[in-house]
Amino acid sequence: MPQTLTVLLALSVSFVVVILRRFFDRRSLNYIRGPTASFLFGHILDITRQRQVGELDTKWNKEFGNAWRIRDCFGVWCSGDFLMLTDPKAIQHICQKSGYDYPKDNKLTNIARLTTGNGVLAAIGVCWDVGRHDHIRQRNVMTSSFTTSRLRQYVSMFQKTASKMVDTWKDELFSGSENALTIAMNHWLPRATLDIIGEAACSYEFGTLDNKDTELAEAYKNLFADSLMFPSKWDILFKATWNYLPIRLLQFVDYLPAREYRRFRSTVQIMNRVAKNIIDEKIREGTPSTKRDIVDLMLNANETLDSKQKLSRAELADQIATLVIAGHETTASTLNYILWELAKASQYQAKIRKEIRILRDAVAQRGDLEYTSEDLESMKYAVAVVKETLRLHPIVFHTTREAARDDVIPLSESIRSTTGELIKSIPVRKRQIVLLSFWGYNRLPDVWGEDADTWNPERFLESEATRTTNVGLYANLLTFSAGVRGCIGWRFAVLETLSFLVELLEHFEFSIPPEKPDIVRIATGGIMSPFIRDAMHLGPMMPLQVAPLRE
Ligand code: HEM
């Protein structure tokens, strides 16, 4: 009872604030076409309840062009419209050219804060919250750990962990005479990537591949799927109010008695305690250990800064939480999809195996035991498969931004207004929220060709010169976003993915299990995960048939 009362009270107060703020802060995109909306939920319920991630984006994109209007909850009353975009020039303008003029909106910032603490993912840029330069400061310190030369050092760790997973499969799963087994990739890959990010970020041993059940590993298990999948109608309405509440007030949602908020609070608290201990130990040790993990490098970078730019101990701890969250399930989910696509296309497994053999010989001739990052990136089929899967299955499929000032957003393709006029740019008012569909952009036929909905790595073997607008961070994809808020760990993720691909394909053949599970993409918070359509209760699932390769 007290739980329901608290939620109702929070909802009522928020609702009144929303109505008042929206009344005095009207903005209108009425001349932009868009689908008809529900009176209370706008399109938000439709988006969270669609059969699969991306279905509505594709439908609306086909109907309205690369820019359209959707409604927020309570939108009919308060003209709470979002501008939804897949247009390359518009997204380039928002992410790359405007930088901090399009910070994250309050709702996204608060979800990032709930899941990672006050790290870089939740930090606000300079324009929006005047006087706070948190994002620039934090990103400054972090980027020193992700330079090309630093990343080379992580490649050895990726290969060791991937090889450990392969050995565990051989010893534990294929120790008998089994020829082929169905293995749940979702059970193994997040554990391997969690072990890696723990070691790379702060030399923390999650040990999940060794079945060490640390408190922290347990806290992260299915965190997003358990907490953010299919939010209740109440929660959708409640979160819709967040963009109209002061960001500092939103910190109190942590104390709501609902399950999801309790789970996030306890996970961040556990992570914070562990992270602070790690930092204290490193500071006590004085000079950074020879291991040189990301925290060592951040501490080093921090020391060179003046006191205004330095990150505090609490801020450093929050970056660890951010790296762990941002850097393990994303990569694991991408690997799930890569192996799934390869299981359907055995000819690409054969092509990559051929590349691996050539590379192994070259590495042996050099007298080395491991690949370098350059070796991995020279494998043209493996790289094309990774790019194509990142394109078709962008794990972070949407993001939102809010205009910090009045602006005009240019479009590469004209759209038709409600009166039939062709529009080549869209004027927006300060506080306009834009919803960027990474999913939609990654599948635009104008950019990727008529077969944009099909998995075809060959497109990345051909010249990429035809793609005119330079949008994304990697291969012109938006999977890692772009600009000042683009993914810090994109190259880390690509090298980690390639390392796993090489190890796994060298030892195993992957195929679709005989029962042919119907895999669907379901939103689990800000990321999407694979589920089996008729067995959603099992949580994220990617079963694949795996057969050892006999040399
Ligand atoms: C395939 C794997 C990955 C994908 C698809 C991915 C995707 C993304 C996307 C789309 C964003 C921007 C989110 C937004 O602005 O709304 C982002 C931000 C970020 N990612 Fe990644 N990521 C991946 C792996 C990693 C890894 C391995 C790390 C760290 C080792 C990492 C660290 C970060 C951080 C720190 C940010 C916040 C950047 C900022 O706000 O300035 N990511 N990522």
Side-chain angles (χ1 to χ4, degrees), residues 297-317:
L297 297 166
M298 285 201 292
L299 284 169
N300 271 356
N302 214 26
E303 272 188 8
T304 62
L305 299 172
D306 67 52
S307 58
K308 279 196 188 140
Q309 299 299 318
K310 268 194 205 316
L311 301 197
S312 65
R313 171 175 169 263
E315 282 177 320
L316 284 164

Side-chain angles (χ1 to χ4, degrees), residues 121 135 139 197 326-327 330 334 399 401 479-480 485 487 489 492:
L121 206 60
H135 183 256
R139 203 162 157 121
I197 199 68
T330 42
T334 299
T399 197
R401 297 290 186 260
T479 312
F480 294 110
R485 303 299 303 236
C487 178
F492 183 106

Side-chain angles (χ1 to χ4, degrees), residues 52-67:
Q52 287 207 72
V53 163
E55 284 186 352
L56 283 175
D57 304 39
T58 307
K59 179 170 175 268
W60 290 336
N61 206 155
K62 279 199 181 121
E63 200 173 341
F64 304 112
N66 295 348

Side-chain angles (χ1 to χ4, degrees), residues 166-355:
V166 164
D167 289 345
T168 313
W169 283 12
K170 283 184 176 168
D171 297 345
E172 289 180 14
L173 307 180
F174 293 100
S175 58
S177 58
E178 289 89 353
N179 283 327
L181 283 177
T182 297
I183 301 181
M185 296 299 125
N186 53 286
H187 172 69
W188 290 92
L189 297 171
R191 289 159 68 204
T193 54
L194 186 63
D195 283 359
I196 285 179
I197 199 68
E199 193 178 342
C202 51
S203 308
Y204 180 81
E205 210 184 306
F206 277 104
T208 52
L209 279 182
D210 296 321
N211 293 320
K212 281 189 198 153
D213 275 334
T214 59
E215 183 188 21
L216 204 47
E218 199 46 42
Y220 278 119
K221 207 159 152 195
N222 284 342
L223 176 65
F224 287 100
D226 289 353
S227 314
L228 294 174
M229 196 173 121
F230 301 140
S232 71
K233 289 182 177 174
W234 283 117
D235 198 44
I236 289 176
L237 290 178
F238 177 49
K239 288 205 176 93
T241 66
W242 289 6
N243 278 334
Y244 305 92
L245 297 171
I247 188 85
R248 285 188 183 83
L249 192 66
L250 290 178
Q251 307 198 357
F252 294 102
V253 304
D254 298 18
Y255 302 98
L256 289 177
R259 195 174 57 95
E260 117 183 37
Y261 300 100
R262 276 205 307 262
R263 171 103 196 249
F264 283 131
R265 194 167 71 239
S266 79
T267 306
V268 170
Q269 273 169 359
I270 298 170
M271 182 70 239
N272 223 274
R273 180 165 34 80
V274 173
K276 280 187 175 147
N277 286 342
I278 290 171
I279 288 165
D280 287 347
E281 203 171 303
K282 282 179 182 292
I283 292 174
R284 252 196 323 274
E285 279 173 9
T287 47
S289 71
T290 46
K291 275 194 176 166
R292 301 227 150 224
D293 53 41
I294 296 175
V295 174
D296 288 333
L297 297 166
M298 285 201 292
L299 284 169
N300 271 356
N302 214 26
E303 272 188 8
T304 62
L305 299 172
D306 67 52
S307 58
K308 279 196 188 140
Q309 299 299 318
K310 268 194 205 316
L311 301 197
S312 65
R313 171 175 169 263
E315 282 177 320
L316 284 164
D318 282 328
Q319 307 316 328
I320 300 184
T322 303
L323 288 170
V324 172
I325 282 281
H328 91 276
E329 249 187 74
T330 42
T331 313
S333 277
T334 299
L335 267 162
N336 269 331
Y337 283 110
I338 291 175
L339 294 173
W340 184 52
E341 291 293 358
L342 284 172
K344 292 186 280 177
S346 60
Q347 72 277 24
Y348 282 100
Q349 296 188 45
K351 285 177 202 278
I352 297 175
R353 263 182 219 113
K354 202 168 154 194
E355 285 183 326

Side-chain angles (χ1 to χ4, degrees), residues 29-34 69 415-421 423:
L29 288 177
N30 279 344
Y31 65 100
I32 305 288
R33 292 187 305 153
R69 172 181 49 78
I415 54 161
R416 212 164 271 289
S417 74
T418 45
T419 57
E421 193 191 335
I423 311 172

Side-chain angles (χ1 to χ4, degrees), residues 488-516:
I488 290 181
W490 72 266
R491 198 145 181 255
F492 183 106
V494 169
L495 291 171
E496 185 179 3
T497 303
L498 284 167
S499 304
F500 272 83
L501 200 54
V502 166
E503 283 297 327
L504 288 171
L505 290 187
E506 199 170 14
H507 295 95
F508 300 104
E509 176 82 34
F510 291 83
S511 54
I512 299 295
E515 54 277 18
K516 295 193 171 37

